[in-house]
Amino acid sequence: MDKDVVPEREARAYEAVHDSADFQELKRRYKNFVVPWTITFMVWYLAYVACNNWARDFMNTQVVGHVNVALVFGLLQFVSTFFIAALYGRFANRRLDPLASGLNAKYKRERRR
C-alpha cells in the first residue's frame, strides 16, 4: 500500500469525526463541566490563600485543641480536589464515554474506507 494513502485516510477519518454533531456535543459537555468546576476550585483556593495572607486572626482561630481554621481549610483543599475528581469520573462515565466510544467506532470505520 502506498505510504501517502494511509495518512490521507486518517486525515479524512479525523475530519469526519471532528465535523460530526456528536464530537461537537462531546466538546460542549466537557466544557460545561470543566469550566464551572475549575472556576469554583480556583475561587476556593484563592480564598484560602487570601485568608492566610490577610485574615490571620480568623485562620488562627482554634476549632478543636490545636486544630485551627487554617488547618481545616488546608485539609478541605484535598477533600475538594478528590470530590471534584470523583464527580468528573462519574460524569465522564455517564455523559462523555458513550459519545467518545461512538466517535472512536466512527473513526475506525472511516479509516477503513
Side-chain angles (χ1 to χ4, degrees):
M1 185 183 277
D2 188 8
K3 285 183 173 182
D4 294 330
V5 173
V6 174
E8 284 179 31
R9 278 189 201 164
E10 288 180 3
R12 262 195 326 263
Y14 176 79
E15 287 174 11
V17 169
H18 182 267
D19 294 339
S20 71
D22 282 349
F23 185 74
Q24 301 308 315
E25 178 64 17
L26 181 66
K27 286 185 358 182
R28 186 191 66 75
R29 287 180 188 183
Y30 175 78
K31 197 171 17 175
N32 285 346
F33 182 90
V34 170
V35 170
W37 279 106
T38 300
I39 292 169
T40 300
F41 183 80
M42 290 305 296
V43 167
W44 163 234
Y45 174 73
L46 292 174
Y48 172 62
V49 171
C51 286
N52 273 320
N53 283 321
W54 295 293
R56 291 183 183 249
D57 290 338
F58 170 67
M59 295 302 271
N60 285 328
T61 303
Q62 300 297 313
V63 177
V64 176
H66 293 291
V67 176
N68 62 14
V69 173
L71 181 60
V72 172
F73 269 39
L75 292 173
L76 287 175
Q77 290 292 314
F78 286 102
V79 171
S80 63
T81 300
F82 287 109
F83 174 73
I84 293 169
L87 275 179
Y88 177 76
R90 186 170 176 229
F91 172 79
N93 287 335
R94 287 185 13 233
R95 306 276 292 148
L96 301 180
D97 290 351
L99 274 176
S101 294
L103 289 167
N104 188 36
K106 179 178 182 167
Y107 176 76
K108 288 178 180 178
R109 278 192 313 272
E110 291 290 331
R111 267 186 58 195
R112 282 188 230 124
R113 287 186 180 178

